[in-house]
C-alpha cells in the first residue's frame, strides 16, 4: 500500500495464530510474489480460517504503492453476500527489505475498519523477498509473509499488533482425495464467471455454512450425486462433516449429514479421503476383488435385515464386505453396553439406535452402501412396502411372533429368507433357508411355535413383551452360527450357478432347509448322531429335511396372505365399538375396578 | 394366493356345538373384509363384575391359529397378567393379546376358551381384591 519502512515489531503471542490454508499460501506465491511488487488482494475467511484471495486486478500499482481499487471493495461485498466468506484483511507485496506494514498501510486499514463496523479487526499481510523471520510464514522458495492485526479499540483508535501465522494443510489433503479447493479469484474472473456460478464443480468457490454457531467451509466433492465436505475452521484438529443431498435446481436443497468419524491424533489426509468417499458414495476400488469370483457383483442387491443384534450386525457386515449395495435395517433397540461383547458396535455407539450405529459401521466399511433405517418394532413397520425391491430377508430378531409375521410377508412376496437364531447359552443354533421359488417350507413350518426348535430357545421374557432374553453366551459361539447364515445368504444372493451358491443346491433340492449347528461338543441329539466318532468335535451341523405343511397359510397348498393394515383397523374398530358404544360419547365405567386399582397398579 | 377365510369355519361351529351347546357365551362370528374370528363373553367368578368379552381372530402368520384380544374389561394400560398377555402387531397396529406358554396362540376354539377362561379367572380375582391362588 506504500513503502514506508517500519521497524520489526515483536509478535503478540497472546493472539492465536492466524490460520491460513496451504492453498492460499500457494496462490499468494503464484499470483502476488511471482510478479514485481507491489501487488495486492483482499482476503476472506470462514471463521478463523483464511481461505480465499481476491486479487485486485483493477488497482493502480507502482513499485512502491498499491492504490486499492473501488472495484475490489465492491467485489468483496458481493463475495460476502454470496456466502463465500467474511473480509479478513489484505495481503500485498512490498519491495525487498520492507517486511512490515507502512504507516499508510495502517491508515488505509484503519479507514477500512471504520467503514466496516461489523468487523472487530482486519489483517495486514505483507509479502517480501527473503528468508522468514520468527513468526513469518514462508511464501514460495524466496519470500516470506508477516502478519499484523489492526484491532478496533476506543473510538478513533486502533492498535496494530504483529501476530503469528500457521499454515493449514487443507488444499493438499483435499487434492490427495481428488478434490480441488478454490483458493483465489480476482475482480476480473469473478465478474466474468464467478457470479454466474461456474458449471464445473471443481471451479466453484467454496461457500460458508454455519452449523452449531460455527462457520464451516462447504467444499464440493466431485460425485454422481450432490456431495460436499463441511470443513471446520480448526481443521485438522476438528474434522469435516461429510454431507450428501438431493439435487434441487442445482443446489444442495436437502442436506443429509453422514457419519463423519474423526481422530484428531491420526493422519488427517486418509481420514479426509474416507469422508470424501462417504459423501460421494464411492466404493473403494478393489475392495471386493477377492470375493467377486465367488459371488459376482452384488452392488445392486438390497437385503432387508430384521434384528441388528449379535447375529444381525455380524451378517450385515459380511454382506457389505462382500459387496451388497443396499440394506434395510429394522430394530427398535438402542446399543447397550452388554452388546459390545458380541456385536460390531463400539463404545461410542452406546445409546444410539442400532440401525443408526450399524449404518455408521457399514458405511465406514463401504461408503457406497445405502442403509435405510427403521427404528421401530418390526411389526409396526409397513412390511409389504419395506419388502419392495428386496432380494433377500435376514431374520434375526429376538421376537418370534414378529419373526413369524416377517417370514409370512417374505414368503407371500416371493422373497427368499435366511433366519438365524441361537439356542440356550449359544450351545447351538439354527439357520433356516426359506426359498419360495424352490417351494421350500416356510420359517414357521421349520422352527415356528410348537416345533422342537422352539423348545431349544430361551424362554420368552414377558418383561420384554415376550421377546427372547439376552442369554449369556460367547461372541465366537454366536459368530459361528451367524457365519453359516451369512454364507447361506451370500449363496442365495449370488445364485445357484455361483461358487458361493453351488453348495446350497443340494440342500434346497432335498429340502434340507433347517441347519442345526452345535457350537459345543455332544450337544442335544448330536451325541447320538455322532456317537462313537471320537474324531468329531464342535462345531458340527446337521441339515434337517422340512416339508411344507399342507394347511400352512404361508407355504401350504392354499396360501392366505398376512393380515394387513385394514385388518388392524378392523380390530381397532371392533375394540372401540365394544368399549365406546355408539350411543355414548364417554367410555363406559370400566367395571367396578377403581377401588382395586391402587394395589394392582403398583405391581 | 387365496383371500382370508371370512366366514365361520364348519369345524369351528362343530367345536362350539360341543363346547357351548346353548351358546350361553354368545359366540358370534366376526366377518369383516379382512378378518375372520369370533367374539364371545364369559361370566367372571366374582360377583359385581360385568361379563368379560373377547375377540378371537385367526392369524395366518401364526399358522392360522387364534389370537385373543380382550374387549371388556379395558385393562390394556392398567394391568394384565403379563406372562399371558403380549403385544402383537396386526397391520402395523399393536394389539395386546392373551397367549399360551411361550407366547403361543390358541390352536383352536377349545384352546381359545381355555386361555380366556383362565385369564378371566385370574383377572377377576385380582379385580375383586383377592389372591387368585394360582399363576396362569
Amino acid at each position: 500500500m506504500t513503502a514506508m519502512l517500519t521497524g520489526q515489531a515483536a509478535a503478540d503471542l497472546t493472539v492465536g495464530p492466524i490460520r491460513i490454508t496451504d492453498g492460499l499460501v500457494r496462490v499468494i506465491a503464484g499470483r502476488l510474489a511471482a510478479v514485481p511488487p507491489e501487488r495486492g488482494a483482499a482476503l476472506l475467511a470462514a471463521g478463523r480460517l483464511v481461505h480465499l484471495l481476491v486479487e485486485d486486478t483493477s488497482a493502480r500499482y507502482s513499485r512502491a504503492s498499491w492504490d486499492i481499487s473501488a472495484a475490489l471493495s465492491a467485489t468483496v461485498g458481493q463475495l460476502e453476500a454470496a456466502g463465500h466468506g467474511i473480509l479478513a484483511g489484505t495481503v500485498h507485496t512490498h519491495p525487498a527489505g520492507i517486511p512490515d506494514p507502512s504507516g499508510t498501510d495502517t491508515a488505509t486499514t484503519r479507514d477500512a475498519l471504520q467503514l466496516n463496523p461489523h468487523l472487530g479487526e482486519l489483517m495486514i499481510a505483507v509479502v517480501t523477498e527473503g528468508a522468514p523471520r520468527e513468526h513469518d510464514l514462508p511464501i514460495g522458495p524466496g519470500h516470506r509473509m508477516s502478519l499484523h492485526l489492526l484491532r478496533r479499540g476506543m473510538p478513533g483508535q486502533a492498535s496494530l499488533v504483529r501476530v503469528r501465522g500457521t499454515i493449514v494443510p487443507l488444499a493438499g489433503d483435499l487434492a490427495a482425495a481428488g478434490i480441488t479447493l478454490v483458493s483465489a479469484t480476482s475482480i476480473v474472473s469473478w465478474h466474468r464467471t464467478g457470479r454466474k456460478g461456474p458449471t464445473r464443480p471443481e471451479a466453484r468457490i467454496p461457500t460458508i455454512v454455519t452449523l452449531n454457531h460455527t462457520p464451516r467451509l462447504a467444499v464440493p466433492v466431485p460425485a454422481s450425486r450432490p456431495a460436499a465436505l463441511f470443513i471446520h475452521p480448526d481443521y485438522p484438529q476438528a474434522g469435516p462433516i461429510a454431507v450428501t443431498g438431493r439435487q434441487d435446481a442445482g443446489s444442495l436443497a436437502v442436506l443429509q449429514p453422514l457419519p463423519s468419524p474423526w481422530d484428531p491424533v491420526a493422519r488427517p489426509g486418509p481420514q479426509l479421503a474416507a469422508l470424501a468417499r462417504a459423501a460421494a458414495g464411492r466404493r473403494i476400488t478393489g475392495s471386493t476383488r477377492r470375493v467377486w469370483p465367488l459371488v459376482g457383483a452384488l452392488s445392486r442387491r438390497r437385503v432387508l435385515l430384521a434384528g441388528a443384534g449379535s447375529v444381525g450386525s455380524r451378517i450385515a457386515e459380511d454382506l457389505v464386505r462382500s459387496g451388497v449395495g443396499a440394506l434395510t435395517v429394522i430394530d427398535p433397540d438402542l446399543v447397550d453396553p452388554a452388546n459390545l461383547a458380541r456385536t460390531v458396535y463400539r463404545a461410542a455407539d452406546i445409546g444410539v439406535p442400532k440401525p443408526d450405529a450399524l449404518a455408521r459401521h457399514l458405511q465406514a466399511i463401504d461408503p457406497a452402501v445405502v442403509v435405510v433405517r427403521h427404528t421401530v418394532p418390526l411389526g409396526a413397520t409397513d412390511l409389504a412396502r419395506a419388502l419392495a425391491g428386496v432380494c433377500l430377508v435376514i431374520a434375526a430378531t429376538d421376537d418370534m411372533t414378529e419373526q413369524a409375521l416377517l417370514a409370512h410377508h417374505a414368503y407371500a412376496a416371493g422373497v427368499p429368507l435366511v433366519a438365524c437364531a441361537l439356542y440356550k447359552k449359544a450351545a447351538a443354533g439354527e439357520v433356516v433357508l426359506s426359498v419360495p421359488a424352490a417351494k421350500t417350507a416356510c420359517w414357521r413350518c421349520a422352527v415356528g411355535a410348537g416345533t422342537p426348535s422352539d423348545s431349544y430357545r430361551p424362554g420368552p421374557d414377558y418383561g420384554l413383551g415376550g421377546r427372547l432374553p439376552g442369554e449369556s453366551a460367547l461372541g465366537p459361539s454366536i459368530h459361528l452360527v451367524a457365519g453359516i447364515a451369512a454364507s447361506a445368504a451370500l449363496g442365495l444372493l449370488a445364485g445357484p450357478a455361483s461358487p458361493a451358491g453351488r453348495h446350497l443346491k443340494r440342500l434346497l433340492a432335498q429340502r434340507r432347509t433347517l441347519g442345526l449347528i452345535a457350537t459345543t461338543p455332544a450337544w442335544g441329539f448330536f451325541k447320538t448322531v455322532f456317537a462313537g466318532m471320537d474324531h468329531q468335535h464342535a462345531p458340527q451341523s446337521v441339515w434337517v429335511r422340512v416339508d411344507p405343511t399342507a394347511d400352512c397359510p404361508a407355504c401350504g397348498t392354499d396360501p392366505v396372505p398376512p393380515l394387513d393394515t385394514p385388518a388392524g383397523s378392523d380390530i381397532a374398530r371392533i375394540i372401540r365399538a365394544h368399549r365406546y358404544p355408539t350411543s355414548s360419547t364417554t367410555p363406559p365405567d370400566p367395571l367396578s375396578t377403581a377401588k382395586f386399582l391402587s394395589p394392582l397398579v403398583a405391581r | 394366493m387365496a383371500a382370508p377365510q371370512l366366514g365361520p369355519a364348519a369345524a369351528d361351529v362343530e367345536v362350539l356345538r360341543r363346547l357351548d351347546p346353548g351358546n350361553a357365551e354368545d359366540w358370534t362370528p366376526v366377518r369383516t373384509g379382512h378378518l375372520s374370528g369370533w367374539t364371545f363373553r364369559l361370566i367372571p367368578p366374582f360377583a359385581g363384575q360385568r361379563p368379560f368379552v373377547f375377540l378371537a381372530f385367526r392369524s395366518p402368520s401364526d399358522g392360522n391359529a387364534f389370537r385373543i384380544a380382550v374387549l371388556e374389561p379395558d385393562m390394556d394400560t392398567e394391568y394384565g397378567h403379563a406372562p399371558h398377555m403380549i403385544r402383537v402387531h396386526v397391520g402395523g397396529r399393536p394389539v395386546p393379546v392373551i397367549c399360551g406358554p411361550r407366547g403361543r396362540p390358541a390352536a383352536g376354539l377349545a384352546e381359545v376358551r381355555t386361555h380366556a377362561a383362565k385369564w378371566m379367572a385370574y383377572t377377576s380375582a385380582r379385580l375383586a381384591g383377592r389372591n387368585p391362588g394360582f399363576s396362569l
Side-chain angles (χ1 to χ4, degrees), chain A residues 265-404:
Chain A
V265 298
R267 285 172 54 214
Q271 297 187 82
L272 192 76
L275 291 178
R277 277 195 297 270
R282 211 167 37 231
R283 171 166 292 137
I284 295 169
T285 308
S287 64
T288 57
R289 191 172 54 225
R290 290 183 182 165
V291 295
W292 192 90
L294 303 176
V295 297
L298 300 179
S299 63
R300 294 184 182 280
R301 301 302 181 93
R302 173 177 289 280
V303 173
L304 185 149
L305 169 69
S310 54
V311 170
S313 68
R314 287 281 167 185
I315 295 175
E317 178 170 330
D318 278 334
L319 297 184
V320 169
R321 287 190 187 279
S322 300
V324 168
L327 266 88
T328 298
V329 181
I330 305 173
D331 196 308
D333 289 343
L334 308 179
V335 176
D336 181 81
N339 296 134
L340 299 186
R342 309 187 304 195
T343 62
V344 301
Y345 302 118
R346 293 169 295 180
D349 296 324
I350 291 173
V352 175
K354 284 181 179 173
D356 295 346
L358 185 57
R360 185 157 64 189
H361 179 76
L362 298 176
Q363 284 167 341
I365 295 166
D366 178 3
V369 71
V370 175
V371 184
V372 175
R373 295 160 282 174
H374 294 274
T375 55
V376 295
L378 181 60
T381 310
D382 183 343
L383 288 174
R385 194 169 172 184
L387 282 166
V390 164
C391 305
L392 179 73
V393 169
I394 304 293
T397 76
D398 54 6
D399 188 322
M400 294 300 106
T401 301
E402 301 217 314
Q403 186 120 310

Side-chain angles (χ1 to χ4, degrees), chain A residues 182-559:
Chain A
V182 176
S183 299
T185 185
S186 67
I187 296 169
V188 171
S189 61
W190 169 253
H191 287 277
R192 186 185 300 151
T193 58
R195 296 173 70 181
K196 297 171 190 165
T199 51
R200 291 175 302 127
E202 63 272 22
R204 284 188 203 138
I205 299 170
T207 51
I208 311 300
V209 293
T210 299
L211 294 177
N212 295 330
H213 309 290
T214 302
R216 286 175 179 258
L217 205 55
V219 180
V221 175
S224 57
R225 66 185 193 185
L229 293 177
F230 289 179
I231 309 289
H232 194 283
D234 289 337
Y235 177 89
Q237 284 73 35
I241 297 172
V243 177
T244 185
R246 197 169 65 226
Q247 191 80 40
D248 184 9
S251 63
L252 289 177
V254 182
L255 296 175
Q256 184 194 349
L258 299 168
S260 304
W262 189 261
D263 181 352
V265 298
R267 285 172 54 214
Q271 297 187 82
L272 192 76
L275 291 178
R277 277 195 297 270
R282 211 167 37 231
R283 171 166 292 137
I284 295 169
T285 308
S287 64
T288 57
R289 191 172 54 225
R290 290 183 182 165
V291 295
W292 192 90
L294 303 176
V295 297
L298 300 179
S299 63
R300 294 184 182 280
R301 301 302 181 93
R302 173 177 289 280
V303 173
L304 185 149
L305 169 69
S310 54
V311 170
S313 68
R314 287 281 167 185
I315 295 175
E317 178 170 330
D318 278 334
L319 297 184
V320 169
R321 287 190 187 279
S322 300
V324 168
L327 266 88
T328 298
V329 181
I330 305 173
D331 196 308
D333 289 343
L334 308 179
V335 176
D336 181 81
N339 296 134
L340 299 186
R342 309 187 304 195
T343 62
V344 301
Y345 302 118
R346 293 169 295 180
D349 296 324
I350 291 173
V352 175
K354 284 181 179 173
D356 295 346
L358 185 57
R360 185 157 64 189
H361 179 76
L362 298 176
Q363 284 167 341
I365 295 166
D366 178 3
V369 71
V370 175
V371 184
V372 175
R373 295 160 282 174
H374 294 274
T375 55
V376 295
L378 181 60
T381 310
D382 183 343
L383 288 174
R385 194 169 172 184
L387 282 166
V390 164
C391 305
L392 179 73
V393 169
I394 304 293
T397 76
D398 54 6
D399 188 322
M400 294 300 106
T401 301
E402 301 217 314
Q403 186 120 310
L405 185 67
L406 171 66
H408 191 183
H409 272 276
Y411 208 99
V415 179
L417 172 143
V418 174
C420 183
L422 274 298
Y423 296 153
K424 292 165 187 164
K425 310 296 180 199
E430 70 192 20
V431 174
V432 178
L433 310 179
S434 168
V435 184
K439 300 192 184 309
T440 67
C442 69
W443 175 86
R444 203 192 65 82
C445 285
V447 296
T451 61
S453 289
D454 193 30
S455 62
Y456 297 147
R457 297 189 191 107
D461 182 338
Y462 292 96
L464 296 172
R467 293 160 55 185
L468 305 181
E471 282 267 303
S472 297
L474 292 177
S477 300
I478 298 170
H479 303 168
L480 274 173
V481 183
I484 290 172
S487 177
L490 287 167
L492 288 174
L493 285 168
S498 69
R502 201 173 296 149
H503 306 300
L504 298 178
K505 274 198 322 198
R506 180 183 68 86
L507 292 180
L508 294 177
Q510 297 179 355
R511 291 187 170 164
R512 296 190 179 280
T513 54
L514 169 57
L516 298 171
I517 299 100
T519 64
T520 50
W523 171 81
F525 68 87
F526 277 38
K527 53 179 167 282
T528 307
V529 173
F530 296 104
M533 305 172 87
D534 291 343
H535 59 286
Q536 286 281 335
H537 190 75
Q540 296 160 314
S541 74
V542 168
W543 286 80
V544 180
R545 179 185 172 107
V546 186
D547 289 315
T549 311
D551 63 351
C552 173
C555 62
T557 51
D558 190 15

